[in-house]
């Protein structure tokens, strides 16, 4: 079993182009089945100022290719959607 803190230490990398997405900030969990639905990643852009709220990118479980010892490889990130409140 892996803990959230173990997952947060791993960097997410897109296998299609090698882009580094950053680290996991949170998880979306299905409360009925107790399974992870998606990984939530903060996207920090230059706009928004010092106190600007970062956007959140959802990487769904089906997009994960493998979870390694120090990285998580994901695919089809162009298809990922920003989390809308």
């Amino acid at each position: 079993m892996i803990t959230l803190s173990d997952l947060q230490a791993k960097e997410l990398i897109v296998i299609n182009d090698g882009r580094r997405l950053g680290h996991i900030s949170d998880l979306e969990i299905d409360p009925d089945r107790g399974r992870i639905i998606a990984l939530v990643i903060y996207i920090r852009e230059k706009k928004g100022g010092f106190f600007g709220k970062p956007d959140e990118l959802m990487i769904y479980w089906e997009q994960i290719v493998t979870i390694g010892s120090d990285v998580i490889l994901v695919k089809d990130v162009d298809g990922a959607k920003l989390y809308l409140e």
Side-chain angles (χ1 to χ4, degrees), residues 67-81:
I67 299 176
S69 60
D70 57 352
V71 297
I72 299 173
L73 299 178
V74 297
K75 63 180 179 179
D76 301 329
V77 174
D78 295 334
K81 298 180 176 81

Side-chain angles (χ1 to χ4, degrees), residues 5-71:
S5 60
D6 290 337
L7 284 175
Q8 287 176 322
K10 300 175 190 297
E11 186 172 19
L12 276 87
I13 298 178
V14 181
I15 63 169
N16 303 4
D17 57 10
R19 275 185 297 147
R20 295 175 174 223
L21 296 177
H23 297 274
I24 298 170
S25 58
D26 203 355
L27 299 174
E28 184 171 332
I29 297 176
D30 180 349
D32 298 326
R33 296 180 9 196
R35 295 182 183 237
I36 297 172
I37 296 171
L39 308 176
V40 180
I41 302 157
Y42 286 144
I43 303 296
R44 291 178 177 81
E45 296 187 12
K46 302 297 181 197
K47 62 182 179 179
F50 184 71
F51 295 106
K53 181 181 177 205
D55 289 328
E56 293 177 339
L57 180 66
M58 303 290 286
I59 303 293
Y60 293 95
W61 192 255
E62 296 80 27
Q63 293 175 275
I64 297 173
V65 175
T66 189
I67 299 176
S69 60
D70 57 352
V71 297

